[in-house]
Amino acid sequence: MGNTAERMVDIDVTDPKTGKRTITLPLMESSMGPSVIDVRRLYVDHGVFTYDPGFTSTASCDSAITFINGEEGVLLHRGYTIGELATKSTYLDVCYLLMEGELPTKAQQVEFRNEIVHHTMLHEQLSHFYRGFRRDAHPMAIMVAVVGALSAFYHDSLDINDPEQRQLASYRLIAKMPTIAAMAYKYSIGQPFVYPKNELGYAENLLHMMFSVPSEDYKANPIMVRALERILILHADHEQNASTSTVRLASSSQANPFACIAAGIASLWGPAHGGANEAVLSMLKEIGTKDRIPEYLAKARDKNDPFRLMGFGHRVYKNVDPRAAVLKENAHEVLDSLGKTTPLLELAKELERIALEDPYFRERKLFPNVDFYSGIILQAMEIPVSMFTVLFAVARTVGWVAQWKEMSSDPTTKIGRPRQLYTGQKPRKFVEINDR
Ligand code: SDX
């Protein structure tokens, strides 16, 4: 809980309904970043609501997991910079950090890994669930359905008031997401499901389940393993973004963890959020050649055109997205080491160069975000485009779970129930149909 300091703020209100008055509210101090005005009693004591539909100025909770400074392009997980974590840590260690608050010791690392690897398999009955989908179903549609269905199989980890069941549900979700994702991919290409191999690392196991076939040996390219591991770390958590806020709101009604994570997956799917990495590739393919970049930048600037430059802009980052900086460097490393330079990467670099010189983008501080480069790397790694957001969901599951666990273990948590600015009809008499 934030520090409710003695400091108060006075807000002078001139309301046509109630005249002039001064509203005094407590100020809560943060350990980093803005303080917050505590408006929890604003309606009860003063009869007014705040208005912030996109939550651009609203703290929906207090949290100790992730800190973002959008002006300076800073992203910390439990105090560690994303740059250091992405280059020096492993995804499972970052999972431990997000969940438990500290980087694991060697003994904790071994114990945590053992917990995770012993939950990588899916209940065999669930494999039949996949067969109800068309082969061309989007893997995100399958993932939303299968994750929600986990609550029909794992009844011993549904009680959110039991810390042991919360921990077990967390382990199961982190462990099973790669398996669920890989099965969705295998199903879409008509190949048999591949079981997890617990001796492999997290990212390596995911590639194994996606790309190995029963008829021959498979060894994931270590460069791809490292690149995927880094992408997973960079997407693990990101404060109170749309999908995390969806998970928090869903779990505030005490819904089971699997249903809440399925809600987060659904929110992430949107092209304005996690679906942007897939949308970046579609956009680059539509632009096609460098000479068409000005035409698309004009579309992006045109308020009458719904086209947005996918992979650019961010609600919070009004400077560089630190994850994009790591990925940009990673893109070159991956492509050089795979002996590839895709025309799409050249097009992407030219698009970035021209966009960043364009006054419309500069004035609005629309810089490349995490999705701009992740799509290009995943494409170079020959990950199918339809799996891009699925991999984002795999990575972000630990963030959703850590935030859900933080919220569920807070006894002061209340059900989320926003109010509204009502702009509808005033009371009126019912009109019989013959009189309408
Ligand atoms: C993710 O929240 C998170 O943390 C998300 C995420 C995470 O890790 O969870 O970081 C992951 O979702 C990254 C964002 C991926 N989405 C995209 O790349 C889609 C393209 N981007 C836009 O849709 C947009 O930038 C958003 C949705 C990301 C942010 O939308 P906002 O907050 O409404 O944008 P804004 O208020 O900063 O926009 C300011 C202006 C507006 O124009 P004006 O009204 O001032 O004239 O910039 C314009 C916007 O129309 N604008 C764009 C634009 N993004 C904003 N114009 C063209 N192209 C764009 N991409």
Side-chain angles (χ1 to χ4, degrees):
M1 176 63 75
N3 314 316
T4 307
E6 293 66 45
R7 281 173 60 195
M8 307 294 278
V9 285
D10 288 340
I11 301 170
D12 294 330
V13 178
T14 304
D15 181 337
K17 296 189 180 102
T18 58
K20 270 182 176 290
R21 58 187 163 146
T22 298
I23 293 176
T24 301
L25 295 167
L27 195 71
M28 295 172 77
E29 302 288 350
S30 64
S31 55
M32 287 179 71
S35 300
V36 300
I37 298 172
D38 183 350
V39 296
R40 283 174 290 182
R41 292 197 55 82
L42 181 63
Y43 177 62
V44 172
D45 295 348
H46 303 285
V48 288
F49 295 146
T50 59
Y51 183 71
D52 188 11
F55 308 120
T56 48
S57 303
T58 294
S60 62
C61 61
D62 52 273
S63 177
I65 298 171
T66 291
F67 173 76
I68 300 173
N69 179 320
E71 286 65 39
E72 295 174 16
V74 172
L75 169 55
L76 305 179
H77 290 318
R78 304 285 192 180
Y80 295 99
T81 66
I82 191 60
E84 281 214 290
L85 293 173
T87 50
K88 296 178 181 173
S89 191
T90 65
Y91 179 69
L92 277 186
D93 277 5
V94 171
C95 288
Y96 186 93
L97 173 69
L98 292 170
M99 295 262 293
E100 308 303 337
E102 298 294 338
L103 285 167
T105 61
K106 190 70 188 150
Q108 289 166 334
Q109 185 187 63
V110 170
E111 185 192 352
F112 182 69
R113 186 181 188 285
N114 275 334
E115 286 289 358
I116 296 298
V117 298
H118 287 99
H119 289 288
T120 50
M121 287 179 68
L122 215 49
H123 190 293
E124 198 64 14
Q125 199 71 18
L126 265 166
S127 62
H128 304 302
F129 190 56
Y130 282 76
R131 290 178 170 75
F133 290 96
R134 287 173 34 157
R135 292 284 181 178
D136 62 353
H138 195 291
M140 282 298 280
I142 298 176
M143 182 163 255
V144 170
V146 173
V147 172
L150 294 177
S151 48
F153 288 84
Y154 299 105
H155 300 128
D156 57 343
S157 56
L158 300 180
D159 179 358
I160 65 162
N161 298 308
D162 177 345
E164 286 185 12
Q165 292 201 31
R166 286 202 300 265
Q167 194 74 329
L168 181 53
S170 304
Y171 290 150
R172 279 176 166 150
L173 281 158
I174 294 167
K176 296 182 192 304
M177 285 297 270
T179 310
I180 293 167
M183 288 170 72
Y185 172 60
K186 284 300 199 187
Y187 184 71
S188 73
I189 57 173
Q191 285 187 359
F193 297 139
V194 174
Y195 289 106
K197 270 189 170 179
N198 289 340
E199 69 268 23
L200 299 179
Y202 194 89
E204 190 178 9
N205 206 5
L206 175 49
L207 293 171
H208 157 71
M209 292 187 283
M210 280 184 69
F211 295 122
S212 72
V213 289
S215 48
E216 55 190 50
D217 292 337
Y218 171 83
K219 175 90 175 108
N221 178 328
I223 297 154
M224 287 178 60
V225 172
R226 185 70 202 128
L228 181 56
E229 180 96 8
R230 198 168 285 182
I231 286 173
L232 294 173
I233 292 171
L234 290 167
H235 288 77
D237 188 51
H238 209 241
E239 201 215 60
Q240 306 311 320
N241 57 84
S243 53
T244 298
S245 300
T246 301
V247 170
R248 279 182 172 262
L249 194 55
S251 56
S252 77
S253 72
Q254 302 190 7
N256 75 72
F258 304 111
C260 296
I261 300 302
I265 296 170
S267 170
L268 185 77
W269 194 1
H273 189 13
N277 51 20
E278 182 176 346
V280 164
L281 261 291
S282 308
M283 175 188 72
L284 290 172
K285 287 175 183 166
E286 186 183 332
I287 294 172
T289 53
K290 292 180 183 178
D291 61 330
R292 296 188 66 195
I293 289 176
E295 171 195 341
Y296 279 84
L297 291 184
K299 283 168 62 71
R301 290 191 297 265
D302 180 358
K303 289 302 162 204
N304 299 317
D305 190 327
F307 175 78
R308 285 272 180 101
L309 208 57
M310 291 290 111
F312 278 75
H314 197 277
R315 170 58 58 78
V316 175
Y317 290 124
K318 299 308 174 189
N319 192 323
V320 68
D321 178 337
R323 303 167 296 175
V326 176
L327 281 175
K328 182 173 181 179
E329 187 189 310
N330 207 220
H332 293 290
E333 188 186 307
V334 167
L335 289 160
D336 292 351
S337 45
L338 289 176
K340 290 184 176 179
T341 178
T342 59
L344 282 177
L345 176 65
E346 296 314 309
L347 180 64
K349 285 193 294 184
E350 183 64 4
L351 173 63
E352 179 189 22
R353 185 185 68 78
I354 299 176
L356 295 185
E357 290 170 356
D358 184 300
Y360 173 93
F361 290 88
R362 295 198 63 79
E363 285 156 16
R364 291 166 177 80
K365 301 182 186 299
L366 303 176
F367 297 98
N369 57 46
V370 67
D371 294 293
F372 186 68
Y373 280 100
S374 62
I376 292 156
I377 295 176
L378 292 171
Q379 202 238 9
M381 293 168 60
E382 296 177 3
I383 303 276
V385 175
S386 64
M387 290 295 289
F388 286 10
T389 310
V390 171
L391 294 184
F392 194 154
V394 169
R396 185 53 57 87
T397 293
V398 66
W400 292 329
V401 163
Q403 302 259 357
W404 164 76
K405 197 180 154 205
E406 181 179 64
M407 174 182 177
S408 307
S409 49
D410 176 354
T412 66
T413 293
K414 298 162 74 83
I415 189 167
R417 198 337 186 152
R419 302 303 302 275
Q420 63 180 10
L421 171 68
Y422 178 67
T423 57
Q425 293 282 352
K426 294 188 172 72
R428 53 182 171 159
K429 284 278 183 213
F430 183 79
V431 181
E432 294 301 336
I433 187 141
N434 297 329
D435 303 328
R436 289 176 201 159

